[in-house]
Amino acid sequence: RPEGVLLDLHPQPEHVGVEVWRGGRVERLGHLEQEEDVTDILEARRRLDQVEADGWYRTERRRFFDVLSHFPSTKDWVEHQAQAGYTNVIPEGLLAAADRLLATEDGEFVVREPIRASLLKRLPGPRTEDQNRA
């Protein structure tokens, strides 16, 4: 529709953070390695930028936020990853560090994914060569 909008919602081209929350404290342990995902996100952004540059849409608003996924243990997170078909590379020692922290005090294993949401307004579209001459 000519008056339409497009909501673009996707992860930031950054690695997902891994934390342990316990006793009111946040222990940041590192990041998952996601080179392929980062490359795909950058390509999606390039395509969206091209659609905007071609005159089909204009960004009206943009917001950034984190999606937090909470798990009672690293084992629960690993099972969730396998069921969902995710293939994140886990740096050596990261899960062991989280397990050591969670063994000393009740807490949660938390995955922090940075997200960007953009609202784009539909434009009439690019002008043709004939329209440019008129």
Side-chain angles (χ1 to χ4, degrees):
R1 290 188 4 226
E3 314 82 38
V5 296
L6 169 69
L7 176 62
D8 175 57
L9 181 69
H10 64 265
Q12 287 283 77
E14 301 169 16
H15 298 289
V16 171
V18 176
E19 306 168 352
V20 169
W21 292 15
R22 59 192 182 116
R25 295 179 316 278
V26 175
E27 306 274 348
R28 290 185 169 82
L29 300 179
H31 296 89
L32 302 178
E33 297 173 15
Q34 304 167 282
E35 295 305 323
E36 186 176 317
D37 290 344
V38 168
T39 299
D40 290 346
I41 293 164
L42 291 172
E43 175 61 18
R45 281 216 181 146
R46 185 195 66 73
R47 290 179 184 193
L48 186 62
D49 290 344
Q50 187 62 53
V51 167
E52 197 167 354
D54 288 346
W56 290 105
Y57 289 90
R58 177 182 65 237
T59 300
E60 295 285 308
R61 278 183 268 167
R62 185 166 285 149
R63 299 288 184 264
F64 301 90
F65 57 93
D66 291 339
V67 170
L68 303 176
S69 300
H70 298 255
F71 299 90
S73 70
T74 58
K75 181 181 177 223
D76 290 308
W77 176 75
V78 169
E79 288 173 4
H80 169 77
Q81 292 287 105
Q83 289 174 355
Y86 295 132
T87 58
N88 295 319
V89 176
I90 305 162
E92 190 167 329
L94 190 141
L95 293 181
D99 287 335
R100 280 192 301 275
L101 289 170
L102 292 169
T104 62
E105 188 175 352
D106 284 341
E108 295 179 298
F109 184 73
V110 178
V111 178
R112 179 182 298 269
E113 184 173 15
I115 302 291
R116 180 179 91 171
S118 301
L119 178 68
L120 297 98
K121 182 179 179 182
R122 179 79 159 87
L123 300 175
R127 295 173 62 88
T128 66
E129 287 298 315
D130 292 338
Q131 289 170 322
N132 288 334
R133 282 191 284 246

